[in-house]
Amino acid sequence: MNIENQELTEPSEVAQTPEFMHSGLEPLADFAARVDGVELALESLEQITGTSTQRSVKKLRRDLENFEPAVTFLGQVKSGKTSLVNAMAGWADLLPSDVNPWTSVVTSLHLKPGAARQEIGAKFQLMEQNEWDRLVHKGGRLGELAGRAGSESELENIRAQIEMLREKSKRRLGRKFELLLGQEHEYGYFDKNLLERYICIGDDFYEDDDAEPDAENQGRFADITRTADLFLTTNSKPFRMCLRDTPGVNDTFMMREQVTINAVRSSRICVVVLSAHQALTSVDMALIRMISSLESRDVMIFVNRIDELSAPAEQIPEIEASIRKVLADHEGPEDAQIVFGSAFWANAVLA
């Protein structure tokens, strides 16, 4: 594994968290207090036990230190997932949500309690060579399914799409393309330019022979970035937690699908984000059923963009009734919690 270590820079501090960001987190604060009690008990136990027991206690302490509840946000392109994740984190402009066309990488925000809100680091895992080979030759997981179903024409379309993406990446990165595969890049900071370089699909660059290959452009590494992890301290969360933003489930970049599924598997709570103007589609239903089939996964549906409704008070009950009917008709989770809101309004208040 290649690691690119960047010099640690002074993290940028943002505005203080509004008091209302603590509202609703009282159960999490109670949990944090109980965890503190367990940590103290384990520390005391480690000091009075024998050598063999100390190893077990140390492992328990490490497991407790690494425990991080995770919530994954999923939905179609332009449903407002990124804006919602920003609002949940308490930073209106944390992840780029206004770039074209959209987030392309599973991005995990690791939030840790702290007196000041600071961006303290970032890690980007680039794709391996064998992942590209599997995608090009078999079309990835979707391609394999299409092949088994006898849809050879669809399989060829998937292969062509992936090959086009690979060639675009080669043009953009030049001779560095092969060298970058499998690398892990670490930074002691992150900002908007860095995030756009790794997680936002941009336009085609470097088609001109005179273009500067080391220029920092939007989407420069996004085609070959598998995952992004951002580490932050925040005074709005009483306990460490992870919020995951994912590519749209109708994203044409097939390689993201398996990574998104893995993100779902490592989260107990999954939030499917819908747009108030868009009906529950077959893609959304397939996603909800897939999450529901996994053991111990809670599914919540967040209907975003109610700020765009002409009469929210009247339309929200109608939209909820429609969603409940679709869930019942297609054997979805009838008891799924449905929440209505506006990431736009939330971020406007934060900003």
Side-chain angles (χ1 to χ4, degrees), residues 318-337:
E318 298 173 359
I319 295 172
E320 180 171 1
S322 175
I323 293 174
R324 294 284 183 199
K325 184 177 186 306
V326 173
L327 290 174
D329 292 346
H330 294 83
E331 300 181 353
E334 297 183 34
D335 59 344
Q337 186 175 0

Side-chain angles (χ1 to χ4, degrees), residues 201-333:
I201 295 294
D203 300 324
D204 289 335
F205 298 108
Y206 313 129
E207 295 187 355
D208 186 341
D209 292 338
D210 296 328
E212 173 55 51
D214 291 325
E216 296 188 357
N217 291 291
Q218 176 185 312
R220 175 162 169 74
F221 300 113
D223 292 336
I224 62 171
T225 302
R226 187 206 301 163
T227 58
D229 291 272
L230 309 180
F231 302 91
L232 315 92
T233 60
T234 172
N235 56 9
S236 69
K237 302 294 184 288
F239 191 77
R240 54 190 174 273
M241 65 185 305
C242 175
L243 303 178
R244 288 197 181 95
D245 188 18
T246 62
V249 291
N250 53 336
D251 192 340
T252 56
F253 295 90
M254 315 291 183
M255 71 177 66
R256 316 295 181 190
E257 184 207 44
Q258 189 60 52
V259 178
T260 299
I261 291 174
N262 290 339
V264 170
R265 293 185 185 278
S266 59
S267 298
R268 287 288 303 273
I269 300 176
C270 297
V271 179
V272 178
V273 183
L274 309 177
S275 174
H277 289 294
Q278 185 176 9
L280 192 61
T281 67
S282 58
V283 174
D284 296 319
M285 277 305 308
L287 180 64
I288 292 171
R289 280 199 297 268
M290 185 269 288
I291 299 171
S292 302
S293 68
L294 301 174
E295 293 184 5
S296 302
R297 297 300 184 280
D298 294 325
V299 182
M300 175 181 290
I301 297 175
F302 183 84
V303 184
N304 193 20
R305 294 182 170 169
I306 63 169
D307 55 282
E308 298 176 4
L309 297 175
S310 57
E314 300 171 7
Q315 294 169 279
I316 285 176
E318 298 173 359
I319 295 172
E320 180 171 1
S322 175
I323 293 174
R324 294 284 183 199
K325 184 177 186 306
V326 173
L327 290 174
D329 292 346
H330 294 83
E331 300 181 353

Side-chain angles (χ1 to χ4, degrees), residues 129-144:
Q129 178 65 51
N130 60 357
E131 290 177 290
W132 275 107
D133 293 340
R134 177 172 173 266
L135 287 164
V136 171
H137 292 104
K138 294 186 177 181
R141 183 171 178 271
L142 292 182
E144 291 170 3

Side-chain angles (χ1 to χ4, degrees), residues 76-115:
Q76 296 195 42
V77 169
K78 298 302 180 183
S79 61
K81 296 186 305 299
T82 301
S83 294
L84 179 59
V85 170
N86 286 345
M88 294 293 293
W91 288 326
D93 57 352
L94 181 59
L95 297 178
S97 59
D98 56 350
V99 293
N100 186 39
W102 48 72
T103 303
S104 68
V105 176
V106 173
T107 305
S108 299
L109 302 182
H110 302 276
L111 306 177
K112 299 180 180 181

Side-chain angles (χ1 to χ4, degrees), residues 9-29:
T9 61
E10 189 69 23
S12 58
E13 187 171 346
V14 295
Q16 290 300 309
T17 302
E19 194 61 35
F20 63 79
M21 285 298 297
H22 299 279
S23 178
L25 295 178
E26 292 81 5
L28 190 60

